[in-house]
Amino acid sequence: MSVVPAGGWLNRVRGAMAKTRASIAAPVNKVLGRGVFDESTWDELEEVLISADMGLPAALEIIEHLRRESLRHPPADSAELKTMLQAAIAAELVPAQTLSDDGNSSLTVILLVGVNGTGKTTTAGKLARRFADAGGTVIIAAADTFRAAAIEQVAVWAARTGAYLVKHTRGGDSAAVAYDAAAAATARGADYLIIDTAGRLQTKTPLMEELKKVKGVIERELPEARLLSWLVMDATTGQNGVAQASAFADRIGLDGLILTKLDGTAKGGIVVAVARATGLPVVMLGTGETETDLVDFDSDDFAAALLD
Amino acid sequence: MFDTLAGRFTDILAGIRGRGRIDEKDVAEASRQIRLALLEADVNFKVVKEIVADVKSLALGESVLKSLTPGQQVVKVLRDELARVMGESAVPLRIGKRPDVIILAGLQGCGKTTAAAKLALYLRREGKKTLLVAADTYRPAAQDQLVSLGAELGVDVWRGEPGQTAVDIASAAVQAESATPHDVVIVDTAGRLHIDDELMREIVALKTAVTPGHILFVADAMIGQDAVNQASAFDDALDFDGVILTKLDGDARGGAALSIKQVTGKPIMFVSTGEKPQDFEVFHPDRMAARILGMGDVISLIERAESAVDESEARALAEKLEREAFTLDDFLSQLEQISKMGGLNDMISMLPSHMLPKELRGAEVEESGLGRTKAIIQSMTSQERQTPRLIDGSRRARIARGSGTTVTEVNGLLKQFEAMRKMVKSAQGKSKKRGWPAGFPG
């Protein structure tokens, strides 16, 4: 089933990011506005990219590319150089598959994972809102059995969005929650099962093993379902984001990234570093406090919004 | 914490440490690599520029180049610079007259609620009685989270009535304090973006209403370049007193620690280093600088050992070793102390890197081995633990079954234990008097 109204989310990224201060437009304009392109132009642009958390390797690569391009096709003006920069940034990103690139499965399971405090539960709630608005039957599994009151938080979201809630008690086995959720999804003929898991730092081996178990249960119990494992990452994340994505991808396997809290001053450039290191696509962006502030990701829009 | 940065610096400095002569080219190359390492650690790019410029000019100074050990001097210059940027020595939280109110502020998901509970526990260790106030009225179930943490830790929690604002809740809690005996009131607030004007006004109003003795800014150690924007905005609005840096137990590079102090001038006071409520420590910039440079932090390690190990227990153990009466039971309690001290990996990270074998530098040791060893010993009868030679083939099979391990593993452990006893014996032969340092595994 398709939940993405055709063209409906277009430009939402740009709008969402323009609303905030999450852009590197001002410093880029300042550098380019001088109208003189020399060594210090490149150095300063490199700094701007670093200040957006793209990381030094990606920044160097983008600038090097830009430098070579501008030798081959000297840009007429700063506007053209800016367009070239925009294209170079977008080229670093991996095109996302949207949810509408549906297979034949009737049930989509979304496993939300990530380090502590990135907004997994809020994202679960926003996803539930979105699927429910599109007319789907949604189940949320409260598989964060570790954090105090995490289950209550999910329960509030379930009530708000009309999703069914599967929960155990705190301290319970998250794989057992997943098992019950899988059974519930089958019994109710659900369209979407969203699994909210406990935040865990990627270096904690036993916790990563636990997550693997949760995923294993879903794969075993719902072999026909489309399972998407998404890493939820805070837009303020620095270069540790690369380690996060690599570790979660290695240990449990990932299908994509959701970048949250893009409504601050953080630019979320970490997704460029992550894409470069892991090849993971960004799927959606969390752009605000309201239930509908979750939009599909588009590389070109994102790069444009960064520079707008 | 800071292990990646430490690893990078160790490599950079390995090339320069111990050199009898260095020239401008060496310093330039080292500076380039230092810049890269700091940027990868998420130190703010402006702060990186300052650090690199300072190190460069100091390292090229006469006193360094003409010294007998210029390589060592460069390391010292960098160590001093990092310590300076992070704020030299620890800044203690001084609790004032009762009730001293502490407000915790920060962005969403930085770990305020957990930090509030951990701070309460820390203050209890310091002999202070604390009331936690749940003033996050926005995030669903945030107040429940604090209430349940408080119940677990035995700390009193004040929660508001539905419909009350954060200011209402905190004011009521503080007012009620004239009657109830708490030394400290910690107000846990909702996470807010520094550019959310409405919520920033709320927290300023909260400050006005409860006149806190301290405002602490809670920051996630994993934030990147935006750290300084966030910290500066909160500092402009609240003029906070210090910072709690959270989630330092991953492989966060902790560049925020360097940047926030440099930009706001406010000290990092505490670091939160694990999932357990007691994983919360006073931040020592000087020690951390040494640690980042691979010089280790033996002082903190010893302090941790002191707090984890009971002195009389340690003395009893030393005596046992002396009498060669060290049993598997003692071995088990040693293993438990290792976990109490934060686990092997944490302890290794506090040792100077040049003391470590190459394979251990920056590597993560599989700690599950400790758990298996514990399980094996726990599956033995007390008689077996006292007299391991009783453990014959059928007992080994039983122990393996009981602990969910294999006979090979049980054999391995017994062999290891025997070897250890022999080693202790020979070590004692060499230095009869010195004994064993408290808390170190035999």
Side-chain angles (χ1 to χ4, degrees):
Chain A
M1 114 182 231
S2 168
V3 288
V4 184
W9 301 97
L10 207 69
N11 285 327
R12 282 284 302 274
V13 189
R14 202 182 301 227
M17 283 175 67
K19 202 168 65 183
T20 72
R21 297 170 215 186
S23 109
I24 51 173
V28 167
N29 289 340
K30 201 178 131 204
V31 177
L32 298 183
R34 286 201 308 266
V36 191
F37 305 133
D38 53 19
E39 270 312 299
S40 71
T41 310
W42 304 121
D43 285 350
E44 283 169 50
L45 280 180
E46 179 191 308
E47 270 181 3
V48 175
L49 300 185
I50 288 169
S51 75
D53 289 320
M54 286 184 202
L56 191 57
L60 288 174
E61 200 171 278
I62 291 169
I63 296 301
E64 196 42 47
H65 173 82
L66 204 59
R67 193 205 290 257
R68 257 180 314 175
E69 280 293 293
S70 61
L71 281 179
R72 249 190 301 157
H73 314 283
D77 51 19
S78 62
E80 195 179 337
L81 188 59
K82 199 164 141 180
T83 312
M84 288 162 68
L85 176 60
Q86 197 172 307
I89 294 173
E92 292 276 326
L93 291 162
V94 181
Q97 356 105 271
T98 60
L99 267 178
S100 47
D101 303 343
D102 212 340
N104 302 316
S105 36
S106 56
L107 170 63
T108 298
V109 183
I110 292 174
L111 182 66
L112 296 176
V113 302
V115 302
N116 315 65
T118 55
K120 282 175 296 300
T121 308
T122 305
T123 302
K126 288 177 178 177
L127 283 170
R129 159 61 61 218
R130 181 162 165 180
F131 297 150
D133 284 352
T137 303
V138 185
I139 296 181
I140 312 185
D144 178 355
T145 53
F146 179 77
R147 180 164 60 89
I151 298 169
E152 288 83 340
Q153 190 182 347
V154 177
V156 171
W157 276 107
R160 276 184 194 169
T161 59
Y164 294 106
L165 173 68
V166 175
K167 61 166 185 172
H168 285 189
T169 50
R170 183 162 175 233
D173 178 7
S174 51
V177 180
Y179 183 87
D180 284 354
T186 311
R188 293 192 186 274
D191 301 301
Y192 292 96
L193 167 59
I194 303 166
I195 304 174
D196 179 38
T197 64
R200 65 203 74 219
L201 297 179
Q202 70 277 12
T203 50
K204 310 268 176 188
T205 310
L207 296 180
M208 295 299 274
E209 287 302 310
E210 178 198 80
L211 200 54
K212 221 159 134 183
K213 230 172 100 190
V214 170
K215 186 168 177 176
V217 165
I218 296 298
E219 283 168 341
R220 199 182 62 223
E221 297 302 317
L222 299 170
E224 304 289 308
R226 180 165 65 143
L227 172 57
L228 299 169
S229 304
W230 287 344
L231 177 71
V232 180
M233 190 178 285
D234 186 325
T236 61
T237 310
Q239 299 312 301
N240 185 255
V242 176
Q244 289 173 24
S246 308
F248 277 94
D250 282 354
R251 301 303 287 270
I252 67 148
L254 289 178
D255 300 289
L257 216 70
I258 295 188
L259 189 66
T260 60
K261 308 187 201 174
L262 211 57
D263 45 341
T265 46
K267 322 293 187 284
I270 184 61
V271 294
V272 174
V274 168
R276 191 176 176 279
T278 65
L280 278 173
V282 185
V283 185
M284 288 179 202
L285 303 173
T287 54
E289 299 270 338
T290 65
E291 292 175 16
T292 52
D293 285 331
L294 184 72
V295 303
D296 284 345
F297 180 81
D298 178 283
S299 307
D300 294 318
D301 272 359
F302 182 76
L306 260 178
L307 292 170
D308 261 356
Chain B
M1 74 183 101
F2 295 111
D3 295 345
T4 318
L5 190 54
R8 290 294 295 270
F9 275 136
T10 305
D11 291 346
I12 297 170
L13 296 175
I16 210 164
R17 202 194 294 263
R19 289 267 294 273
R21 271 190 62 187
I22 50 173
D23 56 25
E24 253 180 77
K25 238 173 69 192
D26 297 328
V27 174
E29 175 56 21
S31 303
R32 198 184 63 80
Q33 292 188 32
I34 290 168
R35 171 174 185 257
L36 186 66
L38 290 172
L39 283 175
E40 277 207 343
D42 293 319
V43 180
N44 183 266
F45 71 99
K46 287 180 190 145
V47 176
V48 172
K49 249 187 184 168
E50 286 172 41
I51 293 177
V52 171
D54 283 357
V55 168
K56 218 169 173 174
S57 77
L58 284 171
L60 287 174
E62 292 263 310
S63 61
V64 170
L65 293 181
K66 290 218 171 121
S67 79
L68 287 171
T69 52
Q72 285 289 1
Q73 294 296 317
V74 172
V75 176
K76 186 179 174 303
V77 162
L78 184 56
R79 196 207 78 92
D80 291 350
E81 177 72 10
L82 290 180
R84 186 188 67 75
V85 170
M86 288 191 289
E88 305 288 358
S89 55
V91 178
L93 179 70
R94 293 194 199 286
I95 297 304
K97 65 172 196 318
R98 209 182 65 77
D100 197 346
V101 179
I102 303 175
I103 293 180
L104 299 187
L107 277 81
Q108 291 88 343
C110 63
K112 280 175 300 302
T113 306
T114 307
K118 286 181 171 183
L119 181 59
L121 210 58
Y122 166 84
L123 289 168
R124 181 158 79 198
R125 289 199 294 269
E126 302 281 297
K128 306 283 183 219
K129 198 165 156 49
T130 304
L131 175 71
L132 289 167
V133 178
D136 178 352
T137 53
Y138 296 92
R139 181 162 58 89
Q143 300 189 46
D144 298 335
Q145 185 183 352
L146 197 63
V147 168
S148 102
L149 279 173
E152 259 164 54
L153 303 175
V155 178
D156 296 336
V157 179
W158 177 287
R159 72 178 301 166
E161 307 293 328
Q164 278 189 314
T165 65
V167 176
D168 295 340
I169 295 171
S171 307
V174 171
Q175 248 155 36
E177 268 315 291
S178 47
T180 52
H182 294 102
D183 302 302
V184 184
V185 175
I186 300 176
V187 184
D188 177 35
T189 63
R192 64 202 74 222
L193 281 172
H194 49 297
I195 52 169
D196 185 329
D197 295 333
E198 191 186 325
L199 283 180
M200 289 306 280
R201 273 198 299 276
E202 180 202 73
I203 200 158
V204 171
L206 184 68
K207 177 184 177 181
T208 318
V210 300
T211 48
H214 315 268
I215 299 177
L216 300 181
F217 176 62
V218 184
D220 184 328
M222 291 179 288
I223 29 178
Q225 298 287 328
D226 200 41
V228 298
N229 298 331
Q230 299 170 10
S232 307
F234 270 89
D235 196 35
D236 288 346
L238 294 171
D239 188 21
F240 60 71
D241 301 282
V243 179
I244 299 178
L245 205 60
T246 62
K247 306 183 205 171
L248 262 172
D249 46 333
D251 49 6
R253 325 287 172 95
L258 281 81
S259 311
I260 292 178
K261 168 67 175 63
Q262 179 75 350
V263 170
T264 63
K266 302 294 169 67
I268 313 291
M269 293 173 106
F270 296 100
V271 288
S272 175
T273 54
E275 301 261 354
K276 290 194 291 297
Q278 61 271 28
D279 297 333
F280 191 78
E281 301 169 12
V282 171
F283 181 68
H284 294 276
D286 41 356
R287 298 180 192 177
M288 192 51 69
R291 198 158 149 182
I292 289 177
L293 295 184
M295 298 165 171
D297 182 4
V298 180
I299 304 169
S300 295
L301 185 60
I302 292 169
E303 282 179 358
R304 240 194 242 183
E306 281 170 353
S307 72
V309 177
D310 180 70
E311 200 185 325
S312 57
E313 243 175 64
R315 199 161 296 143
L317 180 70
E319 267 167 37
K320 275 187 176 171
L321 286 170
E322 201 97 353
R323 288 187 282 111
E324 289 165 38
F326 184 71
T327 66
L328 281 161
D329 261 326
D330 300 317
F331 188 42
L332 182 64
S333 77
Q334 291 290 291
L335 291 177
E336 271 153 9
Q337 272 165 7
I338 292 177
S339 11
K340 255 201 264 174
M341 286 172 66
L344 271 184
N345 283 315
D346 218 33
M347 285 166 64
I348 290 171
S349 76
M350 295 169 99
L351 290 169
S353 57
H354 62 84
M355 272 175 61
L356 296 174
K358 230 192 184 127
E359 19 336 321
L360 277 184
R361 283 178 208 161
E364 181 113 337
V365 179
E366 197 63 66
E367 304 215 24
S368 64
L370 283 184
R372 297 178 81 83
T373 304
K374 275 201 244 174
I376 292 173
I377 301 178
Q378 279 158 346
S379 298
M380 297 175 183
T381 65
S382 66
Q383 212 189 0
E384 287 165 347
R385 294 185 206 179
Q386 296 298 321
T387 327
R389 65 186 158 70
L390 286 180
I391 306 174
D392 57 14
S394 74
R395 286 180 190 243
R396 283 172 202 223
R398 191 206 77 237
I399 292 166
R401 265 200 317 278
S403 56
T405 58
T406 61
V407 173
T408 322
E409 283 176 271
V410 177
N411 288 340
L413 169 66
L414 289 170
K415 222 180 256 171
Q416 208 188 335
F417 179 70
E418 201 36 54
M420 205 173 68
R421 271 224 278 217
K422 277 195 192 128
M423 204 176 74
V424 169
K425 219 165 153 184
S426 79
Q428 277 172 339
K430 274 180 211 143
S431 70
K432 197 80 192 155
K433 272 183 227 138
R434 260 167 62 201
W436 284 65
F440 286 89

